[in-house]
Amino acid sequence: MKFQPDQFGHAITSYGPGWIAVAGQRLTHSMVLDSRGELNDWHCPNFDALDERHFAPLAAARPELVVFGSGRTLRFPRPAWIRSLIDAGIGIETMDTGAACRTYNILAGEGRRVLAALIVEPADTPQMG
């Protein structure tokens, strides 16, 4: 028996190297997806382009949790980059972007106030080893 529909803002419907589909629309750039339905470009083409200016607007949205997809490989943000989240008492979980897509869908589907900050690297970008 269901008490609530399995609906939330936008679901990540699929993903692959160099793209993520949100509500069926295939996107090829980094993005921030809010469980309340807002989708915005995240102007960072890869992990090495990140700094604290990319994370500060995430804190301003006041989610309970940020799911950070670091690209095709797991890479942790520097503490200075996420200071605004820490100071605001907002949790951050870091994982590769594929895992972040799956985790976002689960948490948003549970009704959690979550942001997915996802780096989408071009498919032809060499992986860091």
Side-chain angles (χ1 to χ4, degrees):
M1 174 185 303
K2 286 191 177 189
F3 295 106
Q4 298 178 294
D6 291 332
Q7 298 292 321
F8 53 92
H10 292 299
I12 297 171
T13 50
S14 58
Y15 59 90
W19 61 274
I20 296 173
V22 178
Q25 178 184 1
R26 192 170 168 145
L27 304 168
T28 58
H29 53 78
S30 299
M31 68 193 74
V32 176
L33 182 58
D34 186 320
S35 60
R36 294 183 181 170
E38 193 170 329
L39 172 64
N40 293 299
D41 292 348
W42 203 29
H43 301 286
C44 56
N46 56 50
F47 184 88
D48 293 327
L50 286 172
D51 62 33
E52 60 276 354
R53 293 171 297 171
H54 292 96
F55 289 92
L58 305 180
R62 303 295 303 156
E64 63 182 278
L65 178 68
V66 172
V67 177
F68 169 55
S70 61
R72 284 181 281 165
T73 60
L74 174 63
R75 296 177 72 185
F76 291 93
R78 294 185 180 134
W81 298 353
I82 60 172
R83 174 61 45 203
S84 58
L85 296 169
I86 294 166
D87 289 347
I90 297 168
I92 182 167
E93 291 292 332
T94 301
M95 53 200 77
D96 66 70
T97 295
C101 290
R102 296 185 301 271
T103 301
Y104 166 82
N105 277 348
I106 291 167
L107 295 173
E110 291 175 349
R112 304 273 305 270
R113 176 76 173 99
V114 61
L115 289 180
L118 306 169
I119 294 178
V120 179
E121 299 166 311
D124 59 352
T125 301
Q127 283 189 294
M128 298 296 293

